[in-house]
């Protein structure tokens, strides 16, 4: 049994002291209890004792073993200047008081209207936002960056893990650097690993390619969900995947690939017969096949569910076509180590709100090669490029950053962003394809999600920094050119950059890799950000009440022509 370390940070004089309780209640891993406390205090007697963010290169903090950003879970986007009318906050901060069974009880919709930060958090530590990278970008030729992003740094990374004393999970999919080529037409990895790629609408707007990154996400259910009598069954696997989809999306039926009810032994479409082939599944109380003893939980994944997420550069060819790059910026893995009931989750969210109320600084449990716990049952593990472009495990502070989004925002469903946004039904099983998706609205809304975002934010990214998006989709008076947005064929046309911007954004991020300055921020900006606060004035609400919005992370796929559910084959 690997014993974890609790990572916390030294509070300021005016911040309430954080009490560390060494109890299984705080652990995301079964039967494991914290052994020690990792704090900034424990590292003060180093060669560099007077580090200040004003002049210190990021690598000096790392070499000294000191914590730079004690509020790393607060992402850079939370420091956006809203001018009281521009609201990018709504896609993360939501409250669902009327949905009593929704497991996310953070209910942080009020964060759209106030900065509830600790005394330390009111200062923006993401200094990379304020760097003009123009000169550094100019030193990298187009040919150099094209060659760089088309190198495979994933396969050597996997080989290195296998040939080392690494004790954690090895996040392997053979030929994953090739993107769609690693999967069959329905998203199943060709290597037999059980990973399944799904097509989803990228979250606004950090993961829009125009803002610097492409990505893909895969899901894998535990073995019992993939088997019949202990042997692998494609029919059982896709039936259970469809049931997971309905549980998370809170839908009653969906479509899937052809499945034999006779083989599984379950009436999936509810017509009272066991058929040789069905393509339509209704929600049931339990999973099927070897997982038939497991109940479906409302908006919760089964214990053992895992996700693999790769963040990549923006690849482009001579014609300006945009695609994923072979080179990966990051490899992210998360697994649900422990299933928590709705009651248990309520308690954890209550503790989260209580800690925020008393301005306690955040902390997490570290499990070495296994990653870090988000205290809600999930363990997160991240890898990122080193100075030479090879993938390495993220250090404690870099991984600390990940817990902010995968726990501390109200809009997510069971700590995830992408799967709740999966294209509904059979059309959603397959490698991500932006050209196959229309700008469908979110549940409860009429306008397309991207059109709505542009209107509410007043730009094509949280910082309103992306000038190309403003020139493309906005009128001279700052209003959205609705007619032009609606005329586009797919979201690919709306959220991918020009070849020039793609190359420049790739170059900008590469300079961050060379600096190893991820603790200062991973967002690649070409010039210094102007619409970002360096200090938060907590006495002034960032938004007027009429600009605070209710929103659902899920999408209304019934309103998208390209994503209409496939009809069951009789």
């Amino acid at each position: 049994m690997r014993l974890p370390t609790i990572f916390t940070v030294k509070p300021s004089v005016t911040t309430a002291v954080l009490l560390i309780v060494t109890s299984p209640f705080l652990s995301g891993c079964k039967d494991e209890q914290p052994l020690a406390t990792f704090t900034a205090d424990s590292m003060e007697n180093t060669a560099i004792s007077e580090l200040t963010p004003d002049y210190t290169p990021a690598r000096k903090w790392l070499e000294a073993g000191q914590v730079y950003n004690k509020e790393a879970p607060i992402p850079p986007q939370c420091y956006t200047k809203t001018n009281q009318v521009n609201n990018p906050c709504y896609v993360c901060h939501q409250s669902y008081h009327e949905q009593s069974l929704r497991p996310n009880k953070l209910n942080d919709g009020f964060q759209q209207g106030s900065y509830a930060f600790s005394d330390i958090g009111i200062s923006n530590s993401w200094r990379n936002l304020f760097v003009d990278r123009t000169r550094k970008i100019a030193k990298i030729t187009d040919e150099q960056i094209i060659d760089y992003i088309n190198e495979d740094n994933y396969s050597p990374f996997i080989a290195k893990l296998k040939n080392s004393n690494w004790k954690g999970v090895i996040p392997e999919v053979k030929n994953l650097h090739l993107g769609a080529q690693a999967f069959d037409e329905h998203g199943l990895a060709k290597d037999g690993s059980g990973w399944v790629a799904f097509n989803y609408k990228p979250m606004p707007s950090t993961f829009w390619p125009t803002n610097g990154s492409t990505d893909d996400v895969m899901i894998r259910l535990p073995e019992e969900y993939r088997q019949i009598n202990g042997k692998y069954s494609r029919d059982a696997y896709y039936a259970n995947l469809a049931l997971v989809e309905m549980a998370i999306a809170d839908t009653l039926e969906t479509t899937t690939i052809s499945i034999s009810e006779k083989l599984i032994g379950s009436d999936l479409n509810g017509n009272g017969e066991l058929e040789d082939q069905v393509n339509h599944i209704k929600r049931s109380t339990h999973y099927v096949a070897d997982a038939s003893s497991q109940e479906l939980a409302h908006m919760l994944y089964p214990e053992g569910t895992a996700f693999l997420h790769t963040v990549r550069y923006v690849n482009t060819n001579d014609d300006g076509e945009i695609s994923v790059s072979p080179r990966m910026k990051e490899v992210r893995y998360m697994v649900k180590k422990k299933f928590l009931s709705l009651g248990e989750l309520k308690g954890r969210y209550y503790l989260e709100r209580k800690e925020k109320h008393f301005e306690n600084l955040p902390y997490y449990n570290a499990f070495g090669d296994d990653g870090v716990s988000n205290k809600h049952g999930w363990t997160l593990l991240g890898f990122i490029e080193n100075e030479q472009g090879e993938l390495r495990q993220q250090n404690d502070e870099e991984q600390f950053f990940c817990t902010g989004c995968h726990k501390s925002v109200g809009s997510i469903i069971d700590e995830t962003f992408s799967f709740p946004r999966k294209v509904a039904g059979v059309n959603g099983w397959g490698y991500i394809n932006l050209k196959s998706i229309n700008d469908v609205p979110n549940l409860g809304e009429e306008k397309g999600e991207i059109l709505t975002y542009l209107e509410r934010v007043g730009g094509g990214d949280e910082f309103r920094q992306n000038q190309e998006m403003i020139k493309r989709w906005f009128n001279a008076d700052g209003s959205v050119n609705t007619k032009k947005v609606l005329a586009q064929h797919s979201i690919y046309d709306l959220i991918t950059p020009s070849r020039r911007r793609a190359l420049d954004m790739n170059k900008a991020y590469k300079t961050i890799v060379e600096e190893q300055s991820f603790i200062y921020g991973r967002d690649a900006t070409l010039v210094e950000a102007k619409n970002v606060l360096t200090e938060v004035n907590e006495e002034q609400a960032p938004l007027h009440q009429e600009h605070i919005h209710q929103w659902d992370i899920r999408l209304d796929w019934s309103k998208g022509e390209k994503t209409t559910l496939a009809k069951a084959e009789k």
Side-chain angles (χ1 to χ4, degrees), residues 8 27 29-30 40 76 103-104 107 177 186 220 228 236 271 292 303 337 340 384 390 409 454 498 504 555:
T8 185
S27 174
C29 298
K30 283 185 171 180
N104 190 332
N107 291 325
H177 63 290
H186 298 302
R220 182 166 66 183
I228 297 177
N271 67 352
S292 59
E303 183 175 302
K337 286 278 191 174
L340 299 178
I384 202 163
E390 300 171 348
V409 295
L454 297 177
S498 66
D504 287 345
L555 296 139

Side-chain angles (χ1 to χ4, degrees), residues 278-384:
V278 297
N279 297 83
H280 185 268
I281 297 182
K282 290 188 175 181
R283 185 170 172 177
S284 60
T285 59
H286 288 73
Y287 291 96
V288 298
D290 287 4
S292 59
S293 63
Q294 304 298 324
E295 294 184 8
L296 264 74
H298 182 72
M299 288 187 167
L300 294 172
Y301 300 98
E303 183 175 302
T305 300
F307 287 94
L308 180 58
H309 177 204
T310 73
V311 183
R312 311 191 188 207
Y313 291 83
V314 183
N315 210 355
T316 181
N317 60 19
D318 291 340
D319 296 326
E321 282 287 309
I322 300 299
S323 61
V324 299
S325 67
R327 174 172 291 279
M328 299 177 188
K329 295 179 176 181
E330 297 183 51
V331 174
R332 301 173 175 180
Y333 173 86
M334 61 186 292
V335 59
K336 192 168 189 175
K337 286 278 191 174
K338 183 178 182 180
F339 180 88
L340 299 178
S341 68
L342 180 60
E344 289 173 309
L345 287 169
K346 283 183 179 179
R348 308 257 172 142
Y349 279 114
Y350 172 77
L351 180 62
E352 175 94 1
R353 293 195 302 271
K354 183 178 180 180
E355 289 173 348
K356 288 180 180 294
H357 175 75
F358 287 105
E359 295 191 2
N360 290 341
L361 290 176
Y363 63 94
Y364 68 79
N365 299 344
F367 292 87
D369 291 352
D370 287 334
V372 301
S373 167
N374 73 348
K375 299 181 287 183
H376 287 191
W378 292 85
T379 299
L380 314 177
L381 178 65
F383 304 89
I384 202 163

Side-chain angles (χ1 to χ4, degrees), residues 63-320:
E63 291 168 358
Q66 291 191 339
V67 177
Y68 161 67
N69 185 0
K70 300 175 178 66
E71 279 280 20
I74 301 175
Q77 289 76 11
C78 288
Y79 294 96
T80 300
K81 291 179 182 177
T82 67
N83 297 329
Q84 297 186 287
V85 296
N86 306 108
N87 182 7
C89 318
Y90 73 93
V91 299
C92 287
H93 300 296
Q94 287 293 329
S95 298
Y96 305 101
H97 297 290
E98 75 287 355
Q99 299 181 32
S100 60
L101 295 179
R102 195 166 182 133
N104 190 332
K105 299 298 181 183
L106 192 60
N107 291 325
D108 65 346
F110 70 93
Q111 287 278 42
Q112 294 181 45
S114 65
Y115 292 106
F117 294 163
S118 69
D119 291 345
I120 290 177
I122 62 174
S123 296
N124 186 351
S125 296
W126 303 109
R127 59 184 301 185
N128 273 343
L129 292 174
F130 307 104
V131 176
D132 186 330
R133 299 188 177 273
T134 306
R135 291 185 178 180
K136 289 187 175 183
I137 290 172
K139 294 179 180 179
I140 305 173
T141 67
D142 290 350
E143 291 74 18
Q144 286 174 328
I145 197 64
I146 290 170
D147 289 344
Y148 181 76
I149 68 172
N150 279 285
E151 292 173 350
D152 171 19
N153 64 342
Y154 174 77
S155 300
F157 155 69
I158 294 297
K160 186 175 181 179
L161 288 183
K162 289 181 174 180
N163 295 317
S164 67
N165 60 354
W166 177 256
K167 298 179 177 62
V169 67
I170 296 179
E172 179 180 17
V173 177
K174 188 176 180 180
N175 294 323
L176 184 55
H177 63 290
L178 298 178
Q181 296 181 46
F183 305 90
D184 69 16
E185 61 178 325
H186 298 302
L188 186 64
K190 296 176 181 178
D191 64 356
S193 62
W195 287 108
V196 182
F198 54 91
N199 196 15
Y200 59 95
K201 195 176 184 184
M203 191 79 172
S205 64
T206 298
F207 285 101
W208 291 351
T210 184
N211 291 322
S213 295
T214 57
D215 69 336
D216 54 16
V217 185
M218 288 66 67
I219 186 174
R220 182 166 66 183
L221 299 183
E223 281 193 344
E224 63 180 318
Y225 294 80
R226 299 179 252 155
Q227 296 178 341
I228 297 177
N229 297 325
K231 294 184 179 180
Y232 174 74
S233 167
R234 184 184 181 94
D235 294 72
Y237 196 9
Y238 275 85
N240 282 322
L241 284 168
L243 290 168
V244 169
E245 176 182 337
M246 287 185 280
I248 296 302
D250 191 21
T251 52
L252 297 178
E253 56 187 355
T254 190
T255 57
T256 185
I257 67 171
S258 295
I259 293 175
S260 171
E261 291 181 320
K262 291 182 177 179
L263 180 65
I264 294 176
S266 297
D267 180 15
L268 300 174
N269 61 10
N271 67 352
E273 301 177 10
L274 294 183
E275 302 179 69
D276 289 320
Q277 178 179 295
V278 297
N279 297 83
H280 185 268
I281 297 182
K282 290 188 175 181
R283 185 170 172 177
S284 60
T285 59
H286 288 73
Y287 291 96
V288 298
D290 287 4
S292 59
S293 63
Q294 304 298 324
E295 294 184 8
L296 264 74
H298 182 72
M299 288 187 167
L300 294 172
Y301 300 98
E303 183 175 302
T305 300
F307 287 94
L308 180 58
H309 177 204
T310 73
V311 183
R312 311 191 188 207
Y313 291 83
V314 183
N315 210 355
T316 181
N317 60 19
D318 291 340
D319 296 326

Side-chain angles (χ1 to χ4, degrees), residues 433-448:
N433 179 7
L434 301 181
K435 292 183 178 181
S436 71
I437 303 174
N438 278 347
D439 186 25
V440 297
N442 297 87
L443 287 180
E445 303 198 25
E446 294 299 323
K447 293 182 180 180

Side-chain angles (χ1 to χ4, degrees), residues 387-425:
E387 189 174 356
Q388 290 75 40
E390 300 171 348
L391 290 166
R392 61 163 176 83
Q393 185 180 13
Q394 294 185 29
N395 63 37
D396 286 311
E397 188 173 341
E398 290 164 347
Q399 290 198 130
F400 195 25
F401 166 76
C402 302
T403 64
C405 291
H406 290 285
K407 177 175 71 72
S408 299
V409 295
S411 67
I412 56 177
I413 298 177
D414 202 358
E415 320 307 330
T416 63
F417 292 87
S418 57
F419 195 75
R421 302 171 59 79
K422 173 191 170 294
V423 174

Side-chain angles (χ1 to χ4, degrees), residues 199-201 255 422-429 433-441 450 485-494 556-567:
N199 196 15
Y200 59 95
K201 195 176 184 184
T255 57
K422 173 191 170 294
V423 174
V426 65
N427 294 340
W429 297 116
N433 179 7
L434 301 181
K435 292 183 178 181
S436 71
I437 303 174
N438 278 347
D439 186 25
V440 297
I450 295 173
V485 171
L486 294 175
Q488 304 310 304
H489 297 294
S490 68
I491 64 171
Y492 173 90
D493 303 302
L494 289 169
D556 190 347
W557 294 108
S558 67
K559 297 179 179 177
E561 185 177 304
K562 290 179 180 291
T563 52
T564 301
L565 297 185
K567 295 180 179 179

